[in-house]
Amino acid sequence: MGNKGIKSSRRKFVKKTAAIAGTLVASSLIEPFKLLVYATEEPKDEGPWWGVGIDISKCIGCGLCAKSCKIENNVPEDPFFFRSWVEQYTVYNDGTVKVVSPNGGIDGFNQEEDKENIFKTFFVPKMCNQCAKSPCTQVCPVGATFETPEGITLVDSEHCIGCSYCVQACPYGCRYIHPESIVADKCTLCYHRLTKGIAPACMEVCPTGARIYGNLRDPESELVKYMKNNSYQVLKPNLNTGSKLYYNALSAEVI
Amino acid sequence: MPEQLKRLFPLFAIFIIIFLIIRHLLIPDTFGLYGHYRGDALKDNANIELVYASKEACIECHSDIREMLEMDEHSDISCLSCHGPGLEHVENPETANIEKPGSREFCGRCHAINPARSTNMIIQVDIKEHHAEKKDCIDCHNPHQVWEIKE
């Protein structure tokens, strides 16, 4: 009895396993189940893999990047919608830190402060970090935000339902809900320009070359050379977002 | 197997089929083509219209100014930094539809004194006091050749 029972239960087990495996393989051939297969597929190692470099020591805070971004991407005028903006950090001798970003820097900066009290001051241009492990894409309930094969995080404005989970998930504050279309909006690294081989608007107008972009897979690209020659850092490295926005001369005060 | 369980199977089958049909209808056509997103979204994003021209576009017709610019300190600055988007002008150059800002405020965007600006990157002047006898910066400096000072 005992022996027979084991045999029959083993047979049952093998049968069931085979059935489950067979169903999985068969169902993966059917179109709607392609997603199951994708989950285990590795990203392909071809084509460009875009990253961005910002050299804080070169930035003069003209704010043309923020201005051109608004014009190029139809970002609302109001001073709380930004895809790209510039902050000025001022560290005083007593250790306090002040951060200002008048209108996101789109009209430039003018500081008339007593130089005596200032320990250090610098501009920090900010934009989407194009994370390789984006926290924002992970929370989207409908798959309307995603990383392209080129490593750019985009929003599918037709599919987005405007739930704003991603706005909260982004640790860098780089997303907002567009007041007209009521869907999430963010920096696309000017995907519509990149795909035509033209530089993003903010890089096009930067007068000092403080902003650069490049293909991280190409050892000859401007960005890779910049990374080899500078001690770059990303924002909030402890969050392990896989940020691909590399800052040079980043001070510890910057958050 | 008890009879009542057997009778439940068709019911389950119907539920699953209905679920699959609804799912099929709700998922957009190209969803999952490249990943967990609508494949056509890449095309949609790439087809957005440009507003800013590219740097190279201006040189075709204004090579003289490019050469002039290259000889002086503004050589690294793009035409678009000062003249704005410019695509409208490239497509329709006959009309004067492009900005030409030469005011003290505009040059001050880059040249006004600010301790956060590195003096290695940019020479700064007090835009209110610097040669206040003339109104605009371009009344003296040629924007394309800044050391060509008009009297």
Side-chain angles (χ1 to χ4, degrees):
Chain A
M1 150 81 208
N3 209 353
K4 223 172 158 190
I6 289 172
K7 261 192 188 155
S8 89
S9 74
R10 184 188 293 156
R11 189 173 300 141
K12 261 191 212 158
F13 172 74
V14 171
K15 264 188 191 166
K16 273 183 193 159
T17 318
I20 291 172
T23 329
L24 272 183
V25 170
S27 60
S28 67
L29 301 175
I30 309 170
E31 194 67 20
F33 288 93
K34 256 191 160 174
L35 296 181
L36 287 177
V37 183
Y38 167 72
T40 57
E41 203 179 53
E42 288 201 353
K44 295 183 197 78
D45 256 350
E46 51 194 51
W49 179 251
W50 298 114
V52 181
I54 294 184
D55 193 337
I56 290 174
S57 63
K58 283 189 182 173
C59 179
I60 59 170
C62 65
L64 286 172
C65 47
K67 187 183 172 203
S68 65
C69 179
K70 282 220 170 186
I71 298 173
E72 176 73 27
N73 296 301
N74 192 19
V75 178
E77 290 268 313
D78 314 60
F80 33 84
F81 299 119
F82 292 103
R83 288 181 173 201
S84 168
W85 69 99
V86 185
E87 292 170 359
Q88 179 171 8
Y89 277 71
T90 309
V91 186
Y92 294 97
N93 284 333
D94 61 5
T96 51
V97 181
K98 191 174 84 177
V99 188
V100 294
S101 186
N103 208 359
I106 64 171
D107 303 319
F109 289 82
N110 40 30
Q111 178 175 315
E112 271 140 34
E113 264 193 78
D114 205 355
K115 246 183 156 176
E116 305 278 287
N117 295 330
I118 298 175
F119 174 68
K120 182 176 187 179
T121 170
F122 49 88
F123 298 107
V124 184
K126 291 203 171 162
M127 61 185 279
C128 171
N129 287 237
Q130 310 295 357
C131 307
K133 291 175 257 177
S134 304
C136 57
T137 62
Q138 289 166 23
V139 299
C140 183
V142 295
T145 181
F146 54 92
E147 287 150 40
T148 71
E150 301 100 329
I152 300 173
T153 304
L154 293 182
V155 176
D156 179 354
S157 55
E158 231 164 77
H159 202 45
C160 174
I161 54 171
C163 71
S164 6
Y165 279 1
C166 56
V167 178
Q168 292 189 29
C170 176
Y172 307 108
C174 293
R175 286 173 170 257
Y176 65 94
I177 297 291
H178 198 290
E180 277 160 37
S181 49
I182 325 282
V183 295
D185 197 45
K186 69 176 286 293
C187 163
T188 60
L189 200 58
C190 284
Y191 191 73
H192 55 301
R193 297 173 72 87
L194 273 187
T195 45
K196 296 180 183 69
I198 308 174
C202 58
M203 319 260 176
E204 195 89 65
V205 299
C206 180
T208 58
R211 308 168 77 90
I212 55 168
Y213 72 106
N215 180 0
L216 290 166
R217 286 192 184 129
D218 173 9
E220 295 300 311
S221 76
E222 208 188 339
L223 181 64
V224 172
K225 284 184 186 150
Y226 157 88
M227 287 169 74
K228 280 182 184 167
N229 294 334
N230 294 296
S231 47
Y232 61 86
Q233 178 59 290
V234 298
L235 290 178
K236 303 189 183 173
N238 52 324
L239 296 181
N240 193 22
T241 54
S243 162
K244 296 202 260 70
L245 170 48
Y246 305 104
Y247 283 100
N248 182 34
L250 189 71
S251 273
E253 293 85 10
V254 182
I255 42 165
Chain B
M1 197 177 282
E3 190 64 21
Q4 65 269 37
L5 264 187
K6 275 187 194 158
R7 262 187 256 139
L8 271 180
F9 279 129
L11 213 60
F12 270 113
I14 291 168
F15 270 132
I16 290 171
I17 288 167
I18 290 176
F19 171 77
L20 286 180
I21 290 171
I22 292 177
R23 188 171 179 275
H24 181 74
L25 292 178
L26 284 182
I27 290 181
D29 273 348
T30 52
F31 203 92
L33 198 57
Y34 311 111
H36 189 73
Y37 56 92
R38 207 167 56 91
D40 277 351
L42 290 179
K43 237 182 279 159
D44 289 356
N45 267 294
N47 287 343
I48 295 170
E49 301 234 330
L50 273 67
V51 182
Y52 270 78
S54 76
K55 273 179 228 180
E56 289 76 26
C58 317
I59 302 165
E60 265 175 51
C61 305
H62 297 291
S63 54
D64 50 334
I65 297 202
R66 177 81 255 178
E67 276 160 27
M68 208 196 256
L69 207 65
E70 230 129 67
M71 288 191 293
D72 215 330
E73 292 286 346
H74 276 170
S75 58
D76 292 336
I77 304 179
S78 159
C79 316
L80 307 171
S81 306
C82 295
H83 288 295
L87 193 61
E88 214 185 318
H89 168 73
V90 171
E91 279 164 3
N92 193 359
E94 297 312 315
T95 49
N97 46 7
I98 192 157
E99 305 163 36
K100 295 189 294 180
S103 66
R104 285 186 174 258
E105 263 104 69
F106 181 75
C107 301
R109 241 177 196 266
C110 295
H111 286 288
I113 294 174
N114 189 321
R117 286 186 179 137
S118 154
T119 41
N120 297 331
M121 293 314 299
I122 186 122
I123 300 207
Q124 296 151 48
V125 292
D126 189 326
I127 54 166
K128 288 203 192 85
E129 316 253 294
H130 172 78
H131 290 274
E133 64 268 24
K134 291 247 180 80
K135 187 169 161 275
D136 290 335
C137 306
I138 54 165
D139 291 342
C140 295
H141 295 275
N142 179 343
H144 304 132
Q145 218 165 358
V146 283
W147 281 123
E148 188 141 296
I149 309 252
K150 292 175 216 159
E151 287 309 317

